[in-house]
Amino acid sequence: HAEFDINSTQFPNLAGHTWRVYFHWRNGNTSGVQQPPAAVDNISIAAVTCQAPASVTVTPSGTTAEVSWVGSSDSYEITYTTDTTTVSETATSSPYTLNNLSLSTNYTLKVRGICNNPSDTSNYSTTVSFRTFPPQSINFLVIKPISVT
C-alpha cells in the first residue's frame, strides 16, 4: 500500500485544464525473477484549496526552537519528531516557539495549514531537520585564601 500526493508546487498550472491519469506497469525482469502483475485501486483525486506553508525555518536555542514560515491559513499544525516521539502543536501565527525540547537531540519538523475548519488542511511543507544544543558548561572561578604574614 502506497500513497502519493501531487501538490501545486510540483505542477503549478493544474487548474482550468483537463488531465488524464495513467498507470503503467512494466516487468523488466532485470533480476531474472518474474515479478507478479500489479494492481491499482482505491484512487482518489481531490483539489486541495488550503495552501501549504512555504519557507519553513527553525532556529533552535537550548530547550526551545523558533519556527517560522510563510502562509495564509487560519491556523497551522506543527509536527515534530525524534527517533522515539512525535508531537503536534497548533499555532495561529508565525513565528511560533516550541518549548520543552530535549537537549542534544535531532528533530524533523513539518507544518501544514488549517483553513476554515479542522478537516480542511493543506499538504505538509517540506521537512526541516534541526538539532538542539548540548547543555552549556558552567565555569567556576575558585578563589583560594592566601595567608598574609
Side-chain angles (χ1 to χ4, degrees), residues 83-130:
D83 289 339
T84 59
T85 307
T86 298
V87 177
S88 291
E89 297 185 17
T90 302
T92 56
S93 63
S94 172
Y96 180 81
T97 301
L98 303 174
N99 293 300
N100 302 314
L101 302 176
S102 298
L103 294 171
S104 299
T105 303
N106 294 320
Y107 289 88
T108 58
L109 177 140
K110 57 188 176 182
V111 182
R112 72 176 174 177
I114 303 171
C115 300
N116 301 321
N117 62 64
S119 64
D120 184 12
T121 59
S122 73
N123 291 324
Y124 279 103
S125 67
T126 55
T127 300
V128 176
S129 298
F130 67 97

Side-chain angles (χ1 to χ4, degrees), residues 30-109:
T30 57
S31 64
V33 176
Q34 186 69 23
Q35 296 175 351
V40 178
D41 63 357
N42 298 326
I43 308 246
S44 173
I45 298 175
V48 178
T49 58
C50 191
Q51 293 296 311
S55 304
V56 176
T57 60
V58 180
T59 306
S61 175
T63 59
T64 66
E66 183 178 272
V67 183
S68 299
W69 62 89
V70 175
S72 59
S73 298
D74 297 330
S75 60
Y76 299 88
E77 178 184 81
I78 301 168
T79 301
Y80 56 97
T81 305
T82 67
D83 289 339
T84 59
T85 307
T86 298
V87 177
S88 291
E89 297 185 17
T90 302
T92 56
S93 63
S94 172
Y96 180 81
T97 301
L98 303 174
N99 293 300
N100 302 314
L101 302 176
S102 298
L103 294 171
S104 299
T105 303
N106 294 320
Y107 289 88
T108 58
L109 177 140

